Every structure is written in structure tokens, then in C-alpha cells.
Amino acid sequence: MSSNRGIAYMEPGVVEVQDIDYPTFELQDGPGVNPANVGRKLPHAAILKVVTTNICGSDQHMVRGRTTAPPNLILGHEITGEVVETGPDVEFIKIGDIVSVPFNISCGRCRNCKERKTGICLNVNPDRPGSAYGYVDMGGWVGGQAEYALVPYADWNLLRFPDKDQAMEKILDLTMLSDIFPTGYHGAVSAGVGVGSTVYIAGAGPVGLAAAASAQLLGAAAVIVGDLNQDRLAQARSFGCETVDVSLGDPRDQIEQILGVPEVDCGVDAVGFEARGHGAGSGTEAPATVLNSLMGITAAGGALGIPGLYVTGDPGGVDEAAQKGSLSLDLGTGWAKSLSFTTGQCPVMKYNRELMMAILHDRVQIAKAVNATPISLDEAPEAYREFDSGVARKYVIDPNGMLSSDRK
């Protein structure tokens, strides 16, 4: 049996590289594993040698101590890998395939999966609909920031790249298919972005930048990205976005300077529950700020896509309500303007094949848009610290040295 190493959350602000168990075709007990999932047989699974696995802002929420994640939880839900072993029930996925792993785990058998709602599969998490690798309250499936990872329901979940050599040439783009590219795209699609749209995206982190690139791919006439971080705003401008510095105040005035009117057709929240105030309040956490701002600046009859994460348990919330995920929303404005809202996990499988084709045929350069930066597994703890400081990078972990010749 091979050895394995992975990135574990230890306590707020601390992650470390640990020796961990090599995957088996049975879900073992461990940190965060739902007792009802312990011992679950997985003959339909595949074991992957991880080619790339990315640090996500959602991971950072846990590492900051803003969730109820337990110590020693193995992190990582953005996984691309090479199949090295398959269970006896796997029929179509073959050893040697290079594959993308949707971050949401789904069975392919339940009603929601059959309706392409794979973000809320009914059969993989005993606690609630929906699951993910290496994430708190998501059933306890082991994370993929590791040398080897296991994927259940492999024939259903895995997206196989058609040519191995081409995949490795474009791996920094293709690694984004596991989460942030489909998630950003979902935010743009659910906000109604189309040819000629004007769109405001709150947040210039990797998901916000992916949403911006997606809006361009969908034909938006003007893509405006707002943030407090100057480096991230500069990254948005690097591929043709307009930007708004929300430390100067509500986005409305700056949007009017760009468009001539103080509103947009479509709004995307790529910030989530750790949002900060605008203007004079930009140094203070105010979790409803982004949603309320978007309701104010989105045109009547428009829509909000909300890929930004909101949680039901936040120990660091600003007040008792926020600690339970209850926010003071200006819902009256949203109702009066007939705005629609789409929240929740992106159903990655709804989009990932089409986005793969866009990458393979050079229709989008998503790695460049999010500033993909390869690192080794041992460099990951420092990368978490840098990411938390707000650097304009998307860290791509190379746990098995398969990208070493492409290192920056």
C-alpha cells in the first residue's frame, strides 16, 4: 500500500502537512465523518493520484475558525487527478485517465441528481442535502489536498479529459473546473448575464474573477468588479474588467461614472458571509452589506447570483444572529424591484463539460484571469497564510511533482 500525505486544519490560523491513510474502498471514521457514513462500502469509487488540488476561499473560512470544523480535518475540494485504481463496480472510468472531480459529491441516482441538482444530492450526506470533500458538515468525505484521494460514484462524478497530453498542457486552466470556474459561471448564469448585459460582481477573489471571466464568455457588454483589495482589483483590470473600490463608498456612484446610470442588469455576490462594510465602514465586518448593496444597484426585474458562501454556524459572527446565519436583509427592496435570487452550491456537473471544451478550444484563459500559482504540498501552509492576507493569486497545489517543469 502506498503512503499518503495531506493538509490538515488544526486550529484557527494553523494548517499542517500530515501523514494520512491511503484511500480504501470503505469510508473510515475520522475527523468530521458523520457516524452514519462510517463503514460505508464504496465499490463504485476510484482512487486518484492527485495532479492538482487548489486552495479555495471556502477552505479559508474554515482555517480562519469561522466554521465548526474539527481539528485534523483533511482539507480540499478542488481536485484533478490520474486514476490509479478502481472499485469492482466501476465500468467506464479506466486506470490512467486524467479527470476533473466536481467538488460536490453526488450519487447520480436520487431525484435531485436526475434533475441536475448535484449540489443537493440526497444520498451522500446524512445531515442535509449536498456534500463536498474535506468540508465541515458535508458528510466527512476526506479532502483532496493530498497525494491520493478517493472519489465515490466514479463513473458518474468524474469528468474525463479526452487527451492526456493536451490536458497536462492546459492543466492550470483545467484544474479550475472542479469548482471556481463552474461556480463563477453559475453565478453569472443565475444572475441572467447574456449578450449585452451590464454586470456588477462583488468580490475580486478567485470566484469573483472567475465570474468576471464567465460574464465575458457569456457576452456581457460591461463587467464591473468591486473589492477593497487593490491588488485584486488590478488583477480584474488585467483582463478587461472595470473596477469599483468599495472602500470609497457604496458602488452606486462609481457604477454611474462607468455606465452613465447607477445600476446594472445583473448582480453577483462572490463575497459571502465575511463581507465588510463599504466606505467608512470598510474595516468592519457587516455580513449583509453585499446582498443589500446588490439589491440596491440591480435594475428592477433583474437577478442576483449568489455563489458566495453563507453558513448556518459561524463562531466568529458579529452577533448572535450572524452566528446562526441570520442576516438583516433589505428584502423589501428586493421584493419591490421583483428581483430573483439563486443561492447554494453550484451544480458543477451542469457546466463542467461545456467549460472544459471552452478551455480546450482556447475560448477562455481562466488560469490567467485568476492568476494561477503552482506550489508544492509542503508550501501549502505558507500559501494559506498568504491567501488570507489577500494576495491576488489562486494557489494550485502540485502534491506529486507532476507540474514541476511548469513552476513559476
Side-chain angles (χ1 to χ4, degrees):
M1 182 180 293
S2 299
S3 61
N4 196 15
R5 297 192 304 153
I7 305 297
Y9 164 71
M10 303 305 296
E11 60 184 31
V14 179
V15 300
E16 69 177 31
V17 181
Q18 292 184 351
D19 291 325
I20 63 174
D21 291 338
Y22 186 82
T24 65
F25 294 101
E26 179 178 314
L27 190 55
Q28 306 295 320
D29 196 7
V33 179
N34 189 295
N37 260 351
V38 174
R40 186 169 179 164
K41 305 296 184 183
L42 306 170
H44 44 68
I47 297 173
L48 307 186
K49 181 180 182 179
V50 177
V51 176
T52 55
T53 177
N54 315 325
I55 296 177
C56 180
S58 298
D59 298 320
Q60 199 69 61
H61 292 307
M62 288 189 290
V63 173
R64 290 190 188 115
R66 298 300 297 269
T67 71
T68 55
N72 295 297
L73 180 75
I74 303 303
L75 300 168
H77 55 270
E78 300 188 12
I79 310 165
T80 305
E82 179 181 6
V83 178
V84 294
E85 191 173 352
T86 58
D89 290 353
V90 176
E91 185 175 1
F92 304 110
I93 291 293
K94 305 300 182 185
I95 292 172
D97 287 343
I98 303 292
V99 294
S100 178
V101 184
F103 80 89
N104 19 49
I105 303 166
S106 56
C107 70
R109 295 153 166 81
C110 70
R111 172 181 175 175
N112 285 349
C113 285
K114 290 178 179 180
E115 294 177 355
R116 302 184 80 191
K117 301 173 183 175
T118 53
I120 44 174
C121 174
L122 300 174
N123 288 331
V124 289
N125 183 0
D127 281 332
R128 64 181 74 171
S131 187
Y133 304 89
Y135 213 84
V136 61
D137 297 331
M138 289 292 184
W141 301 90
V142 177
Q145 287 177 11
E147 293 170 336
Y148 294 89
L150 181 132
V151 176
Y153 305 104
D155 282 327
W156 166 254
N157 279 304
L158 294 177
L159 174 68
R160 177 169 44 201
F161 300 139
D163 182 88
K164 185 173 182 178
D165 291 337
Q166 184 188 30
M168 292 306 296
E169 288 175 4
K170 292 182 176 289
I171 197 66
L172 289 182
D173 293 289
L174 294 170
T175 190
M176 305 305 165
L177 291 172
S178 58
D179 181 357
I180 68 161
F181 193 13
T183 293
Y185 190 83
H186 179 60
V189 168
S190 57
V193 177
V195 174
S197 298
T198 59
V199 54
Y200 176 73
I201 297 165
V207 169
L209 296 172
S214 297
Q216 292 175 337
L217 187 64
L218 289 163
V223 180
I224 306 170
V225 181
D227 205 294
L228 298 161
N229 184 305
Q230 297 305 311
D231 290 340
R232 289 182 169 184
L233 290 175
Q235 181 64 27
R237 289 191 294 271
S238 75
F239 60 99
C241 300
E242 301 283 354
T243 58
V244 163
D245 180 354
V246 297
S247 69
L248 302 178
D250 187 279
R252 175 180 295 271
D253 292 341
Q254 295 175 71
I255 288 172
E256 185 170 18
Q257 292 172 12
I258 295 168
L259 299 177
V261 293
E263 63 181 16
V264 292
D265 301 322
C266 315
V268 178
D269 174 3
V271 177
F273 73 103
E274 289 193 65
R276 296 186 178 275
H278 296 159
S282 60
T284 304
E285 191 166 307
T289 299
V290 168
L291 290 173
N292 287 335
S293 174
L294 285 170
M295 284 188 276
I297 62 178
T298 302
L304 306 185
I306 310 174
L309 176 67
Y310 289 87
V311 296
T312 57
D314 173 14
V318 295
D319 54 34
E320 185 176 351
Q323 290 169 11
K324 297 184 292 185
S326 297
L327 309 182
S328 298
L329 295 180
D330 186 10
L331 192 58
T333 295
W335 189 93
K337 295 174 73 174
S338 295
L339 300 176
S340 59
F341 302 72
T342 301
T343 66
Q345 286 189 33
C346 164
V348 170
M349 294 176 68
K350 187 175 181 179
Y351 308 111
N352 63 350
R353 184 188 177 278
E354 290 83 356
L355 295 177
M356 175 189 73
M357 295 301 288
I359 290 169
L360 294 179
H361 290 273
D362 299 316
R363 300 299 297 169
V364 64
Q365 288 75 46
I366 189 64
K368 183 178 179 181
V370 302
N371 195 18
T373 304
I375 59 171
S376 70
L377 193 70
D378 290 315
E379 292 171 312
E382 178 59 27
Y384 265 101
R385 288 188 286 271
E386 291 180 1
F387 189 42
D388 193 43
S389 74
V391 296
R393 294 180 177 182
K394 174 68 173 178
Y395 285 107
V396 177
I397 302 172
D398 174 17
N400 286 293
M402 298 177 76
L403 310 185
S404 56
S405 62
D406 298 324
R407 286 286 172 81
K408 294 181 179 179

